Amino acid sequence: VERKNHHQHVLLLAYRSFGLVHGTLSTSPLYVYITTFSGRLNHYQTENVVYGVFSLIFWTLTILLFFKYVIIMLSADDNGEGGPFALYCLLCRHAKFSLLPNQQAADEEITTYHHPGHSNRNAPCSSFKRFIEKHKSMKTGLLLAVLFGASLLICDGVLTSAISVMSSVKGLQVHSEIFHNHMVVFIACAVLVGLFAMQHRGTHKVAFLFAPIVLLWLLSIAAVGIYNTIHWNPKIYRALSPYYIYQFFRETGKDGLLSLGGILLCITGTGAMFTNLGHFTAASIRVSFSCIVYPCLVLQYMGQAAFLTKNFDAMSSSFYASIPDSIFWPVFIVANLAAVVASQAVISATFSIVKQCHALGCFPRVKVVHKARWIDGQIYIPEMNWILMILSIIVMVGLQKTTLIGNAYGFACMAEAFISTCLMSLIIIFVWHKSSILSLLFLVLFGSIEAIYLLSSCTKIPRGGWVSLVLSSGFLMIMYVWHYGTRRKYLYDIQNKLSMKWILTLGPSLGIVRVPGIGLIYSELVTGIPAMFSHFLANLPATHQVIIFVSIKCVLVPYVPHKERYLIGRIGPKSYRLFRCIVRYGYQDVHKDDEDFENHLVMCIAEFIKLEAEGSATIDGSMDGRMAVVRTSEKFGTRLVMSESAANEEISCSSTSSAAPNSKSSTLQNLQSMYEQELPSLTQRRRMRFKLPDADHMYLHAQEELYELLEAKRAGVAYIIGHSHIKARRNSSLLKQFVIDMGYSFLRKNCRSPAVTLTIPRINLIGVGMNYHV
């Protein structure tokens, strides 16, 4: 029964994968032959040349798509996730390649940290591995390669929408001369604007149509391919032999090599296919590709080639010209719907890769939206949505020709494919622990073919290819500048963090008045006390009764289980009431706006206090110095009981007859009530009641500390966050001063503030200024 259910689940995912994985790849027949024969190859209008082009397309699909991606690379997933950052995170977890300085030993105890079947910690350390770990320049080069691959995927998000919509709309010119080129561009731009304008609503309402549309499209083009093969040239099947590739290059020579930039468009969408792996499984994608996508595409390319062998004058519009007149308009409608679905799929992949970059500190702060009613894992990034729309329209209006957009698209796709091949060769050595010979064989076999295609694409840079080079270089520069500035800021925090000796000299009162309430001090530091805390103490005459240093950290795993998310520790003696909480997220985890982080944090602190009182040996979690993972176990929630209550009742204690007093004056309480009435969402956050269970079995000091925590929670929670002003040191090089003072500062001023990305209530927010000289 379990096996039958597993097979049904795989088939269901395979069906769904048509809409979100294979959409871009399925629309490539719209423009492959047109782009290939647009250059010098247009002068070789012979049957052998068409045979050679089809043979090249077939073997490119078979070798680079079927064998490399579907069979091999889909096995290199990171707990089900794919893409260049997933490969990079896999490498960093098996070797010290990461440049992120906030990694901790406790991170390795997360259940998703070690890849199943490949977590051989006792594997011998190779000299190549030691060489990369020893040289920072090698690790920087690896990161730059990954960032460039991510930039190319973002570039795909721009070019896929432009070329797919443009190619599908161009079918109007085949049957009517009134649709001139400017009118086609205008219609395509209108379709793009509508597509991007609907992104904020999510695709949950129409997603069920994606798979049927792409499936109908694939079956339609396969049927057209079979018809054209039988009607025009049944002998075209002979071109499946690689002998015709030899004949092709013997006849075309150098011009044939230059035309490879158009042929490689037949594998466009493979990057998005690998990036969207997390929504499905490797088995489901293999089933859908092998059984439907691959044979349908081969039949369509074969039929289109058969048509071209008898209609050389239709090279400029080969796809739509090869469709029989009786079914032209139905196929045209399905083609446009498939182009929209393909654009939607690559836009979703772009959002996913941007979120991964942002989570790992390689992209400026953006707002990531995920709603409960949306498809699981679907996100929306407003800034990137409008940037993609503007760039797609600029590319479409600026180039106006499918061939020029195809030249740019081909360079981006092949450069990304070559980078993924290089990363995969490292995965074979360091993650799969295979021999270097096998890794080198993989690199030579697939990398040499991709290198030839890439060189051919480079010759198209003057004719449209420069667009993808400029776009990807721009995104690469933004991401690396942000990563460099963020890393320098973190290293400055480490070098200037406060010593425990200085904290102990202040005493339990920290040298000032301690008032009821909880202060959540946000900092990127995961060890030590940030220098910002001394600025806070020096400028305010009082601080909160309980202080929690909160660090939101991304771990090099796609998902962190919720029960392993909170790493709690104590700073100094118990009388100081100083705690540290490290909230760990994976690079695919979404910070949901409706998560009551405040209440859950109080529950975790209470759990830590009781577990600490019972003795460190009973703590259900890993230890990291004085920190412990507070897991959501069967004991969780027995330290505090949380329930809904009225707005004026938030805390009670069953072991104490009197309620905890509120330290705020009546004037301040009225002002707070007025704020809460203006912000209903804030009122909902505070309508929670905490109480202590029966305390017969509890230690007295733990009970007192828990009651003090409840009193502080009722008094209110303040969020303290630093407002940093970062400048390069005076003795820095001119390049560093330009990067920090101009580039990084500009990005910080024009991106989301930390309070917005962390969804902190603004009326509870306290900003502390801090100057950084990095």
Side-chain angles (χ1 to χ4, degrees):
V1 177
E2 293 182 358
R3 185 176 182 180
K4 181 179 179 181
N5 292 335
H6 173 70
H7 290 165
Q8 290 177 350
H9 181 66
V10 170
L11 292 176
L12 179 61
L13 290 178
Y15 170 74
R16 293 178 178 175
S17 68
F18 287 110
L20 291 178
V21 174
H22 305 301
T24 307
L25 181 66
S26 301
T27 56
S28 57
L30 288 168
Y31 45 79
V32 170
Y33 281 106
I34 297 174
T35 307
T36 302
F37 285 100
S38 63
R40 297 180 182 178
L41 208 63
N42 194 35
H43 303 297
Y44 298 89
Q45 297 186 358
T46 64
E47 188 173 274
N48 282 339
V49 170
V50 176
Y51 275 36
V53 170
F54 168 64
S55 185
L56 280 167
I57 292 174
F58 171 76
W59 287 105
T60 301
L61 281 172
T62 303
I63 296 175
L64 296 184
L65 190 56
F66 187 78
F67 285 109
K68 178 195 166 185
Y69 272 98
V70 177
I71 294 182
I72 300 177
M73 289 201 64
L74 288 183
S75 301
D77 63 294
D78 183 8
N79 292 283
E81 297 296 327
F85 262 99
L87 299 180
Y88 178 69
C89 290
L90 269 178
L91 289 172
C92 291
R93 297 207 305 269
H94 289 79
K96 298 177 182 179
F97 294 164
S98 176
L99 291 173
L100 298 175
N102 62 348
Q103 302 303 304
Q104 297 172 282
D107 298 339
E108 299 185 15
E109 302 301 325
I110 297 175
T111 54
T112 55
Y113 194 88
H114 292 283
H115 195 274
H118 299 137
S119 56
N120 186 5
R121 303 188 187 185
N122 300 322
C125 184
S126 64
S127 57
F128 182 43
K129 178 180 176 181
R130 290 194 299 268
F131 176 77
I132 298 178
E133 292 177 342
K134 183 178 179 181
H135 294 83
K136 183 181 176 182
S137 58
M138 296 296 295
K139 294 189 286 187
T140 303
L142 178 62
L143 177 63
L144 284 173
V146 173
L147 292 181
F148 189 55
S151 302
L152 291 167
L153 280 175
I154 298 174
C155 187
D156 283 350
V158 175
L159 298 173
T160 300
S161 303
I163 194 171
S164 298
V165 175
M166 185 82 162
S167 301
S168 60
V169 174
K170 266 187 172 296
L172 294 171
Q173 292 180 319
V174 176
H175 269 234
S176 179
E177 297 181 355
I178 63 172
F179 292 98
H180 52 79
N181 197 54
H182 295 294
M183 186 177 295
V184 169
V185 172
F186 176 79
I187 295 174
C189 289
V191 173
L192 279 180
V193 171
L195 173 65
F196 283 101
M198 295 298 293
Q199 291 296 317
H200 73 284
R201 295 184 175 272
T203 59
H204 61 288
K205 292 184 178 179
V206 295
F208 70 95
L209 292 175
F210 288 175
I213 288 173
V214 176
L215 189 58
L216 178 60
W217 164 252
L218 286 169
L219 296 177
S220 300
I221 61 176
V224 172
I226 294 173
Y227 169 80
N228 285 329
T229 300
I230 297 174
H231 181 73
W232 294 106
N233 189 355
K235 297 181 180 180
I236 189 66
Y237 72 91
R238 296 178 179 176
L240 295 176
S241 170
Y243 170 76
Y244 286 92
I245 297 178
Y246 165 75
Q247 291 277 29
F248 171 79
F249 286 116
R250 189 179 69 173
E251 185 172 340
T252 60
K254 181 181 177 181
D255 294 336
L257 287 172
L258 297 178
S259 68
L260 294 177
I263 293 173
L264 64 87
L265 292 176
C266 67
I267 59 171
T268 54
T270 52
M273 180 178 71
F274 189 45
T275 304
N276 282 328
L277 175 62
H279 298 286
F280 307 94
T281 62
S284 62
I285 294 178
R286 285 173 178 144
V287 168
S288 60
F289 180 83
S290 304
C291 298
I292 302 293
V293 179
Y294 180 72
C296 287
L297 288 177
V298 171
L299 289 173
Q300 164 55 210
Y301 286 121
M302 180 186 295
Q304 203 172 151
F307 172 80
L308 288 176
T309 57
K310 308 299 180 182
N311 300 272
F312 294 111
D313 56 337
M315 292 287 188
S316 59
S317 57
S318 59
F319 176 80
Y320 281 111
S322 66
I323 300 175
D325 294 339
S326 58
I327 61 171
F328 175 83
W329 290 111
V331 173
F332 174 78
I333 293 173
V334 176
N336 281 270
L337 292 175
V340 171
V341 173
S343 301
Q344 178 64 51
V346 78
I347 290 170
S348 299
T350 303
F351 288 162
S352 178
I353 199 70
V354 169
K355 185 194 174 301
Q356 293 176 21
C357 297
H358 168 250
L360 295 173
C362 297
F363 202 88
R365 290 184 294 268
V366 292
K367 184 178 181 180
V368 179
V369 180
H370 178 273
K371 298 180 180 179
R373 68 177 188 272
W374 287 6
I375 300 172
D376 186 33
Q378 181 191 0
I379 59 174
Y380 169 67
I381 302 177
E383 295 90 340
M384 284 307 303
N385 183 64
W386 304 122
I387 289 174
L388 290 177
M389 185 191 75
I390 293 171
L391 291 177
S392 296
I393 292 176
I394 290 175
V395 168
M396 188 177 292
V397 174
L399 298 182
Q400 294 194 357
K401 293 183 179 181
T402 305
T403 55
L404 297 180
I405 302 176
N407 292 338
Y409 195 21
F411 176 84
C413 291
M414 193 46 60
E416 191 277 328
F418 184 76
I419 291 174
S420 67
T421 300
C422 296
L423 292 175
M424 187 63 203
S425 63
L426 297 178
I427 292 289
I428 293 174
I429 300 176
F430 301 130
V431 179
W432 292 359
H433 306 293
K434 303 297 182 181
S435 65
S436 301
I437 297 177
L438 187 63
S439 172
L440 185 62
L441 182 64
F442 176 87
L443 181 62
V444 171
L445 176 61
F446 297 107
S448 59
I449 298 174
E450 291 169 346
I452 294 173
Y453 276 111
L454 186 59
L455 289 175
S456 176
S457 298
C458 290
T459 61
K460 303 293 181 68
I461 289 179
R463 297 194 302 129
W466 59 271
V467 173
S468 58
L469 189 61
V470 170
L471 289 177
S472 57
S473 299
F475 284 116
L476 172 64
M477 187 179 301
I478 290 173
M479 288 193 287
Y480 187 72
V481 167
W482 183 264
H483 172 78
Y484 177 78
T486 303
R487 187 170 182 272
R488 298 304 305 178
K489 177 179 177 294
Y490 189 87
L491 293 176
Y492 181 90
D493 280 332
I494 293 178
Q495 296 170 359
N496 294 273
K497 62 184 180 182
L498 303 178
S499 64
M500 183 54 63
K501 181 179 179 181
W502 182 82
I503 294 294
L504 294 176
T505 57
L506 298 178
S509 66
L510 299 179
I512 53 178
V513 179
R514 302 292 290 269
V515 297
I518 296 179
L520 301 182
I521 300 180
Y522 280 81
S523 171
E524 296 177 0
L525 276 180
V526 295
T527 58
I529 302 175
M532 175 187 68
F533 187 55
S534 64
H535 287 239
F536 179 76
L537 297 179
N539 290 279
L540 291 177
T543 190
H544 299 85
Q545 181 181 3
V546 177
I547 295 177
I548 305 174
F549 293 92
V550 180
S551 176
I552 308 294
K553 184 179 76 168
C554 179
V555 188
L556 295 172
V557 295
Y559 300 98
V560 175
H562 194 272
K563 65 179 182 179
E564 302 176 9
R565 182 160 292 170
Y566 292 87
L567 190 62
I568 306 294
R570 188 188 295 276
I571 300 177
K574 293 183 178 180
S575 58
Y576 281 59
R577 301 296 189 259
L578 299 178
F579 298 93
R580 180 185 306 282
C581 175
I582 301 175
V583 188
R584 303 178 295 184
Y585 287 93
Y587 57 79
Q588 287 289 65
D589 280 322
V590 178
H591 301 231
K592 296 182 180 179
D593 296 345
D594 58 355
E595 182 180 2
D596 201 347
F597 171 77
E598 190 177 290
N599 293 325
H600 198 85
L601 180 58
V602 172
M603 295 284 286
C604 288
I605 296 294
E607 186 78 5
F608 174 80
I609 292 173
K610 188 61 173 69
L611 291 174
E612 187 184 44
E614 293 174 355
S616 59
T618 64
I619 295 181
D620 183 21
S622 307
M623 299 300 297
D624 184 17
R626 301 191 61 173
M627 305 194 72
V629 178
V630 176
R631 298 179 182 269
T632 305
S633 63
E634 64 277 0
K635 297 181 180 180
F636 189 80
T638 60
R639 322 305 179 187
L640 292 181
V641 179
M642 183 174 65
S643 61
E644 296 287 344
S645 67
N648 59 353
E649 181 189 11
E650 186 181 342
I651 177 174
S652 65
C653 180
S654 60
S655 61
T656 307
S657 58
S658 60
N662 196 325
S663 62
K664 295 182 180 179
S665 65
S666 59
T667 304
L668 291 179
Q669 292 182 34
N670 293 334
L671 182 61
Q672 178 179 333
S673 300
M674 184 174 64
Y675 282 145
E676 291 179 352
Q677 291 176 3
E678 296 176 357
L679 296 173
S681 60
L682 183 62
T683 305
Q684 185 65 30
R685 290 171 62 96
R686 293 181 176 275
R687 285 184 178 177
M688 303 303 298
R689 179 171 61 89
F690 290 95
K691 67 178 182 179
L692 292 175
D694 295 335
D696 295 340
H697 64 284
M698 296 177 62
Y699 296 98
L700 181 61
H701 57 84
Q703 178 187 348
E704 293 176 352
E705 190 171 7
L706 285 173
Y707 180 71
E708 189 173 348
L709 177 66
L710 298 182
E711 180 186 350
K713 175 64 174 68
R714 181 174 183 268
V717 177
Y719 296 78
I720 304 165
I721 194 167
H723 286 282
S724 309
H725 181 67
I726 302 175
K727 291 186 69 66
R729 295 175 182 173
R730 294 183 178 179
N731 58 349
S732 302
S733 63
L734 292 177
L735 179 60
K736 182 180 178 180
Q737 291 183 23
F738 176 79
V739 170
I740 297 296
D741 296 345
M742 301 295 293
Y744 185 65
S745 297
F746 175 80
L747 293 176
R748 282 177 59 87
K749 291 177 182 177
N750 292 276
C751 70
R752 299 272 184 173
S753 67
V756 174
T757 57
L758 296 173
T759 64
I760 295 175
R762 288 194 174 274
I763 68 170
N764 293 352
L765 181 63
I766 300 175
V768 180
M770 183 74 181
N771 290 324
Y772 285 78
H773 295 278
V774 299

